[in-house]
Amino acid sequence: MTDSLLGLDEPVQPKRGGEAYRVLARKYRPQTFQALIGQEAMVRTLENAIRRDRIAHAFLLTGVRGVGKTSTARLIAKALNCVGPDGNGGATIDPCGQCEPCRAIAEGRHVDVIEMDAASHTGIDDIREIIEASRYAAVSARYKVYIIDEVHMLSKAAFNGLLKTLEEPPGHVKFLFATTEVNKVPVTVLSRCQRFDLRRIPADKLAEHFAAVCQQEGVTAEPEALALIARAAEGSARDGLSILDQGIAHADLQGGGVTASAVREMLGLSDRSAVRDLLALLLSGDAPGALAALRRQYDYGVDPQGVLRALLEAVHGVTLAKIGSAEDPAQPAEEREAYRDWATKLSFPLLHRLWQLLLKGHDEVAKAALPIETAEMALLRIVHARSLPDPGELARYLSEGRTDQPQVAAPAAVSLSAPTAAPAVPAPVAAEKPAFAATFAALVAELEENGQHLLAVRLAHGARVVSYAPPEIVFSGTRPIATDTLAETATALRAMTGTAWKLSMLDAPGEVTLKEAADAAAEAERQAVLASPLVKAALQAFPDAELIDWPKKRNNA
């Protein structure tokens, strides 16, 4: 097999100080499983398999770019072929890195570890060459290992040609496949492999890794700068190291370390404090101020779509803070405090509405011929929407037959860049408190109108109300309601009204159910009909006659 097929040819790097410069993504490629960050579950599985001598004949490694698929494949090859410093060792999850097989595999020159890029070798002829070579025993290693990167690029004929060998390979052969698009790999191949899904690396772990790299490189870097790079990497160590490499080069030109401002300028990111100020301007209804803030970001080189994306991230962060989600350790402390402060002032309906408006604007900017103008129109739509009544509130007013206009609660005009300052206006939670249904029957009717048909039926048939004082309802424990029904009701009411409801049960009789009340009313009306002179005369004239479906007949009369 030629060197080009093996994928071992590398371009000559320019010299710097007598040495070929290696980019950080290659220089800090993990050489042990312990250095493989963010993939602890996979490492544990491989460790158990090696210790128990239950090593599969084929592995499929999948995940987004830069999470360590190819590096893991090479580490598995080293683990299977390591002989230890004394030459008498066996397969191990901790390859020594000193023996000849370990060094040769790390340097990409081991004759029994063959790497192939399926993106450039897609045909059946390439696979046929592998099949023929796999029949022969390894030259010097314990196992002959074939690493096929981007395996989903193989042609249908190539996959079919590989199936038989992949299902019943010789005992000395192991196949290691890597792909970013596992959905394109035939099911017949998937069923013959042990699959590992490599996870995106969390931003906090990436930031720690980048800090260690900077220390090794003798470069100073601000924690916020590393956090920005970690977020921009989107879970990919390779992408993050490439960005860090660029940031270090940028810092060298400036004669300083890697700063957050330099990273923002380099990546075209919007300043997060400026984003919070822009969001506050939108919610306060300051249209000129919001447009001026957007233009400032645009003049700094920030893409309009990036501004809207940053606003979406801010709204998402506030929403997570409102529901009490775990805080992101990579998030700056002042931003966490700002989100917590804002979460107390904005209701769920308002946050969801804001999210939808921003998402629509983001999509429009992505397709627009005039991006900055489209972004301005999207922000003006948000400012205008704050003066409109909430759609849910309006629907309730219409369902109740009310003609007065619902009140519109304006959000607090609070600048989140200074979260410790006192809010300019009172928190809008009380102002946005919706009008609750006057009776339990009206509340169940509203659930029905909002698409909660099955829940409304269960409440109408099984709920006996002891007291109804929105947003609190006490049900009778003499006819218990299922716990899941209570939880589902609380969730539905919170989504419908934007307010947390307290539902409980008490050992008291309570009122009759809505179904029982309706049945009693229908029976009373039926008896009234039977007691009418006309019906009495008819029944006397026709003794075998019955009164059936009388409400329907009456309504159709």
Side-chain angles (χ1 to χ4, degrees):
M1 193 175 292
T2 64
D3 284 347
S4 61
L5 179 60
L6 300 183
L8 299 180
D9 293 340
E10 297 180 354
V12 178
Q13 294 281 352
K15 300 290 184 178
R16 189 183 72 168
E19 293 185 6
Y21 174 68
R22 301 180 68 197
V23 295
L24 297 181
R26 290 187 58 201
K27 184 176 181 180
Y28 291 96
R29 170 167 272 170
Q31 298 299 318
T32 64
F33 281 105
Q34 287 71 28
L36 194 66
I37 58 175
Q39 311 300 339
E40 291 79 7
M42 181 197 66
V43 173
R44 191 182 312 114
T45 303
L46 288 172
E47 180 179 9
N48 293 337
I50 291 174
R51 286 179 176 174
R52 297 172 184 175
D53 196 22
R54 300 178 63 89
I55 305 171
H57 61 274
F59 296 89
L60 178 67
L61 307 171
T62 179
V64 298
R65 79 270 177 233
V67 293
K69 298 183 297 296
T70 306
S71 296
T72 300
R74 293 175 181 173
L75 288 174
I76 293 175
K78 289 168 65 174
L80 297 179
N81 289 311
C82 178
V83 296
D86 58 358
N88 297 319
T92 174
I93 194 65
D94 297 312
C96 66
Q98 302 175 14
C99 63
E100 176 57 27
C102 285
R103 293 201 307 271
I105 293 172
E107 296 170 6
R109 57 179 175 82
H110 200 294
V111 68
D112 292 319
V113 178
I114 301 97
E115 290 192 35
M116 186 183 86
D117 176 22
S120 55
H121 301 86
T122 63
I124 182 62
D125 292 336
D126 301 304
I127 295 301
R128 187 177 292 117
E129 190 172 350
I130 289 178
I131 295 172
E132 292 295 329
S134 67
R135 299 178 181 176
Y136 302 99
V139 176
S140 61
R142 187 178 297 113
Y143 294 102
K144 180 178 284 189
V145 180
Y146 290 94
I147 301 175
I148 303 181
D149 203 5
E150 300 300 337
V151 69
H152 67 274
M153 298 292 288
L154 290 178
S155 65
K156 182 177 180 180
F159 273 125
N160 290 337
L162 188 62
L163 287 180
K164 187 62 177 177
T165 303
L166 187 60
E167 184 173 14
E168 299 177 358
H172 60 272
V173 174
K174 302 291 182 185
F175 289 98
L176 303 176
F177 302 138
T179 178
T180 54
E181 300 184 48
V182 69
N183 58 301
K184 293 184 179 180
V185 179
V187 177
T188 50
V189 173
L190 292 175
S191 64
R192 290 166 168 82
C193 300
Q194 190 171 102
R195 174 175 168 176
F196 289 100
D197 290 84
L198 278 71
R199 302 177 179 179
R200 290 181 184 268
I201 305 171
D204 56 330
K205 290 190 176 182
L206 281 177
E208 292 177 4
H209 180 57
F210 299 155
V213 169
C214 287
Q215 185 176 5
Q216 292 288 328
E217 293 291 311
V219 176
T220 59
E222 295 179 356
E224 185 180 356
L226 298 181
L228 289 172
I229 294 174
R231 287 196 189 95
E234 296 182 340
S236 170
R238 183 175 62 231
D239 287 8
L241 287 173
S242 298
I243 298 173
L244 179 60
D245 222 340
Q246 184 180 356
I248 293 175
H250 189 73
D252 286 341
L253 293 176
Q254 292 184 333
V258 181
T259 63
S261 59
V263 171
R264 287 194 190 94
E265 180 182 356
M266 183 179 68
L267 298 178
L269 297 177
S270 179
D271 184 271
R272 302 187 74 84
S273 62
V275 169
R276 297 196 296 273
D277 287 338
L278 174 57
L279 189 55
L281 290 170
L282 290 174
L283 292 175
S284 66
D286 187 353
L291 295 186
L294 175 63
R295 281 288 178 175
R296 281 196 298 272
Q297 294 294 304
Y298 183 69
D299 292 340
Y300 290 149
V302 180
D303 181 63
Q305 191 176 7
V307 176
L308 290 175
R309 177 172 179 171
L311 287 170
L312 281 167
E313 291 177 352
V315 172
H316 180 254
V318 174
T319 307
L320 292 183
K322 190 170 183 65
I323 65 175
S325 293
E327 295 178 338
D328 182 3
Q331 192 177 45
E334 64 274 9
E335 186 170 286
R336 291 200 298 269
E337 185 176 354
Y339 286 174
R340 287 195 300 267
D341 181 66
W342 216 335
T344 63
K345 298 174 175 61
L346 302 177
S347 68
F348 281 113
L350 179 61
L351 289 170
H352 295 325
R353 190 178 179 187
L354 186 58
W355 173 267
Q356 293 298 329
L357 289 169
L358 286 171
L359 191 61
K360 179 177 176 61
H362 181 274
D363 293 342
E364 290 175 348
V365 171
K367 304 172 185 176
L370 302 172
I372 182 61
E373 288 81 0
T374 305
E376 289 179 337
M377 295 302 294
L379 297 188
L380 289 175
R381 185 164 59 226
I382 294 173
V383 172
H384 173 68
R386 69 181 291 279
S387 64
L388 299 177
D390 181 80
E393 182 80 4
L394 185 59
R396 280 192 292 275
Y397 268 61
L398 294 176
S399 66
E400 295 171 3
R402 298 174 62 174
T403 59
D404 57 317
Q405 184 177 355
Q407 293 183 354
V408 180
V414 182
S415 174
L416 289 187
S417 59
T420 56
V425 297
V429 174
E432 292 190 357
K433 182 178 180 180
F436 300 114
T439 64
F440 180 68
L443 186 69
V444 173
E446 288 188 14
L447 287 172
E448 175 80 27
E449 293 171 0
N450 280 271
Q452 298 288 342
H453 174 69
L454 294 179
L455 179 59
V457 170
R458 293 204 299 270
L459 292 175
H461 283 70
R464 293 177 183 244
V465 177
V466 175
S467 68
Y468 178 75
E472 295 187 15
I473 308 176
V474 179
F475 296 102
S476 172
T478 60
R479 185 168 181 173
I481 302 176
T483 305
D484 57 344
T485 300
L486 279 180
E488 186 179 348
T489 302
T491 302
L493 292 178
R494 182 166 189 168
M496 188 173 70
T497 64
T499 302
W501 286 66
K502 181 180 179 181
L503 308 182
S504 60
M505 287 193 292
L506 181 67
D507 190 11
E511 300 175 359
V512 297
T513 67
L514 297 178
K515 179 65 167 57
E516 291 171 341
D519 290 345
E523 180 61 23
E525 190 170 354
R526 182 176 185 277
Q527 292 300 327
V529 171
L530 290 173
S532 66
L534 182 60
V535 174
K536 278 185 175 181
L539 291 176
Q540 289 175 358
F542 303 96
D544 295 332
E546 294 183 26
L547 180 64
I548 58 173
D549 295 336
W550 65 269
K552 179 177 179 182
K553 299 296 183 182
R554 181 195 62 185
N555 293 336
N556 291 338

